[in-house]
Amino acid sequence: MDTTKPETVYEGRFLRVAKRGSWEYATRAKATGVVCVVAMHDDGRVVLIEQHRPPMDGSVIELPAGLAGDVDDTESLLSAARRELEEETGYTAEAWFRLPTVCTSPGLTDEAMTFFLARGLRRTGSGGGVGSESIRVHEVPLDEVPAWLEAAAAKGRHTAGTLLAGLYAASVHTQRDTG
């Protein structure tokens, strides 16, 4: 294991390329964490978002997610999750459950994403994101998500791997609590 301090190779507005030994990787320049929200309605619908992602040159189906500490470096992960859910979808939630933290792409980045399950949803705003974000909200019955994603892929849309990881983490949490 290489424990040398990383060297910054490049730093942009949001990303930094670092080098540790001979390994180059991406890291966030202005964030204390990353959050992702599995928002579930009581009737079993899951809230998904769709937005254009320049690296993919197309639309990506995702869970609501974002950075913690990018504006206020004292922001907690839970506060960031609540903020992102409301900004992106227009929903707030009564109950929040912390799920696992996972490495998103450990060969490329040091990013670790913490998942949250949000229940007891209530519409409080229009959603759609902030600034230049243009987010579409989809509400899909959980048991129909695989077929829905397959149909979206046939139309050229991409699926974020974190969507699948989040749904899995939420299902394990729910089975543990009800089983």
Side-chain angles (χ1 to χ4, degrees):
M1 180 167 82
D2 186 353
T3 59
T4 59
K5 184 177 178 188
E7 164 195 350
T8 298
V9 176
Y10 165 83
E11 185 162 348
R13 201 165 124 211
F14 300 107
L15 292 176
R16 178 181 312 122
V17 175
K19 185 175 183 179
R20 178 175 281 136
S22 63
W23 200 272
E24 295 174 343
Y25 61 96
T27 187
R28 297 281 182 181
K30 294 180 175 68
T32 57
V34 181
V35 296
C36 189
V37 181
V38 181
M40 297 284 299
H41 287 283
D42 293 339
D43 66 5
R45 287 175 297 137
V46 63
V47 179
L48 306 176
I49 64 166
E50 178 179 348
Q51 60 185 316
H52 179 80
R53 293 295 196 175
M56 298 305 301
D57 193 25
S59 288
V60 179
I61 309 295
E62 309 172 39
L63 293 170
L67 302 176
D70 56 334
V71 174
D72 172 7
D73 64 3
T74 65
E75 181 180 41
S76 72
L77 293 175
L78 178 57
S79 293
R82 289 177 189 222
R83 176 180 49 77
E84 290 291 347
L85 178 63
E86 190 166 14
E87 286 175 0
E88 294 186 357
T89 70
Y91 282 106
T92 60
E94 286 181 25
W96 288 85
F97 306 91
R98 187 173 174 152
L99 302 174
T101 298
V102 302
C103 301
T104 58
S105 185
L108 175 68
T109 179
D110 63 355
E111 181 176 89
M113 177 177 279
T114 301
F115 288 96
F116 289 88
L117 173 62
R119 302 301 306 252
L121 301 181
R122 187 169 56 95
R123 170 84 63 187
T124 58
S126 60
V130 295
S132 64
E133 292 178 321
S134 180
I135 295 172
R136 287 185 54 200
V137 177
H138 302 282
E139 300 180 34
V140 182
L142 183 59
D143 61 346
E144 295 177 20
V145 167
W148 190 89
L149 291 174
E150 190 173 309
K155 295 175 186 171
R157 296 180 183 124
H158 305 279
T159 299
T162 53
L163 186 161
L164 303 176
L167 292 179
Y168 175 77
S171 73
V172 168
H173 171 85
T174 303
Q175 288 173 5
R176 185 184 66 227
D177 286 358
T178 60

